Amino acid sequence: MADKLAQMIYFYELSVAKLNKLLNFFLVNLHKLLVFIYTLLQKTLRVTLNGKAYCLFALCLTLWGCSTTLDITSIGWKTYSNSRYGFEFPYPSNWNSLTAPTNDDGIAFVSPRNSNVEIRGWASNQLSPSMTEDSETSASYNFQTTQGLRGLLLVETGNTMSSMKLKLNQNQIDYHWQGKSPSQEFSNYYPLFYYIAQQYRVGRR
């Protein structure tokens, strides 16, 4: 009797493991499909529909990013702070920083496992006064940070590299952040990139 029970438990655990593997495979490929649809519609429908379809599919990806599981507590974090423009964002503590530009407008970090996986943040003074935050319409925004800052979040996919880009404007300064990786690995890094974009902050200057 005990042997049969042990055998049943073994087959049950094996079935659960296989089910979890199939579920993870399904979720990864579903996310890739959403990224592909988003990119396609971003290129073809944004102008003809005055940004409405664009914002809708950006919202779909935003919701996906919120629902994708990522154990943030398992990652050691540091915070990069820029003294010139007053922005900051977290990055994995084991990532390596690239040489900072002499004008101190930002920084880039690369993964220790793959130097093609990169996060980068920078800022610049706004050149055109006509594009101030007050003049932008609500259709220009599809993302909000945990600090409450509204911005534009774009996902761009390519044959070799894919990226997530965040653009914010505060006090006539353009703030930029992006995460990029090889396209085949982008679905793995998407939750990480999305989390960092959410935590992006701009201080008082």
Side-chain angles (χ1 to χ4, degrees), residues 15-128:
S15 299
V16 170
K18 289 183 178 180
L19 182 60
N20 285 335
K21 186 175 181 180
L22 288 174
L23 181 60
N24 289 334
F25 177 81
F26 170 76
L27 290 176
V28 168
N29 284 278
L30 176 61
H31 175 251
K32 290 180 179 179
L33 178 61
L34 285 174
V35 171
F36 173 77
I37 294 174
Y38 168 82
T39 305
L40 179 63
L41 290 177
Q42 177 187 342
K43 294 178 179 178
T44 59
L45 297 181
R46 184 180 182 184
V47 175
T48 58
L49 297 182
N50 195 26
K52 293 182 180 179
Y54 166 80
C55 292
L56 174 62
F57 279 86
L59 176 62
C60 290
L61 278 177
T62 299
L63 293 174
W64 174 265
C66 293
S67 62
T68 303
T69 58
L70 175 64
D71 187 6
I72 301 301
T73 59
S74 67
I75 300 176
W77 294 97
K78 289 184 178 179
T79 300
Y80 167 77
S81 299
N82 183 274
S83 58
R84 180 180 179 185
Y85 290 106
F87 67 89
E88 65 179 43
F89 60 88
Y91 66 94
S93 59
N94 63 336
W95 285 39
N96 304 312
S97 62
L98 300 181
T99 303
T102 55
N103 64 358
D104 193 31
D105 66 345
I107 195 71
F109 299 93
V110 295
S111 168
R113 298 195 310 172
N114 186 344
S115 60
N116 290 322
V117 180
E118 175 189 286
I119 55 177
R120 180 183 296 268
W122 72 98
S124 61
N125 294 316
Q126 196 173 55
L127 298 179
S128 174

Side-chain angles (χ1 to χ4, degrees), residues 104-176:
D104 193 31
D105 66 345
I107 195 71
F109 299 93
V110 295
S111 168
R113 298 195 310 172
N114 186 344
S115 60
N116 290 322
V117 180
E118 175 189 286
I119 55 177
R120 180 183 296 268
W122 72 98
S124 61
N125 294 316
Q126 196 173 55
L127 298 179
S128 174
S130 62
M131 289 297 291
T132 61
E133 181 183 10
D134 294 335
S135 67
E136 293 186 356
T137 64
S138 60
S140 302
Y141 304 108
N142 64 1
F143 184 79
Q144 183 168 307
T145 69
T146 56
Q147 188 185 12
L149 301 178
R150 294 184 300 168
L152 184 64
L153 187 70
L154 299 175
V155 174
E156 299 178 354
T157 58
N159 293 330
T160 57
M161 298 293 293
S162 295
S163 64
M164 176 184 293
K165 297 181 179 181
L166 173 65
K167 181 179 179 181
L168 304 160
N169 180 273
Q170 294 288 313
N171 302 319
Q172 297 186 350
I173 296 178
D174 288 327
Y175 295 93
H176 301 268

